[in-house]
Amino acid sequence: MKKIAFVFTQGPHGTSAGREGLDALLATSALTEEIGVFFMADGVFQLMPAQQPEKILARNYIATFGVLSLYDVDQCFVCEDSLKSRGLSAGHEWVLDVEPLSAAEIRGQLAGFDVVMTF
């Protein structure tokens, strides 16, 4: 089986990239257990709880990240450098359990995957 990484770099609102990435991630989880999920750049905002997308007439899918463990997706990482540059800390409460890593550590982790899909 190929190891597949999903990298979220877009914020949760303004584009459908996050929702499409999550849909692809859930569909792929039925085919392989070798999945890694990475949140970098503005993608770290995908992890923020208590978002209110209905106020901008958007669909709420963020909470769905919280059920990834039910799909046996447990390799989830967030970029510490991206958090810091956006005024967030690794100790923040997220919708998903993520392991904070530096940008260099994330590059090292991504090198171990056969396929990297970016959303």
Side-chain angles (χ1 to χ4, degrees):
M1 283 277 176
K2 288 193 176 210
K3 292 179 72 173
I4 303 172
F6 289 84
V7 181
F8 291 88
T9 62
Q10 301 290 315
H13 309 299
T15 72
S16 61
R19 187 178 67 243
E20 291 171 0
L22 180 59
D23 289 346
L25 170 57
L26 294 174
T28 303
S29 71
L31 304 173
T32 182
E33 293 180 12
E34 297 291 329
I35 294 177
V37 184
F38 299 82
F39 297 90
M40 304 173 66
D42 284 343
V44 299
F45 293 121
Q46 299 280 355
L47 297 169
M48 301 289 293
Q51 295 188 35
Q52 299 174 341
E54 64 279 354
K55 291 192 175 188
I56 59 168
L57 304 176
R59 194 173 119 199
N60 189 0
Y61 65 90
I62 300 298
T64 307
F65 279 110
V67 301
L68 289 181
S69 63
L70 297 175
Y71 290 83
D72 294 325
V73 177
D74 51 10
Q75 292 186 63
C76 302
F77 308 96
V78 64
C79 179
E80 284 180 315
D81 302 331
S82 297
L83 291 174
K84 287 177 187 172
S85 68
R86 286 156 181 80
L88 300 169
S89 69
H92 198 280
E93 181 182 328
W94 308 114
V95 296
L96 172 66
D97 288 333
V98 289
E99 180 181 342
L101 299 175
S102 70
E105 291 171 319
I106 285 184
R107 283 191 297 276
Q109 286 282 338
L110 285 172
F113 286 87
D114 301 310
V115 178
V116 177
M117 300 177 70
T118 304
F119 294 92

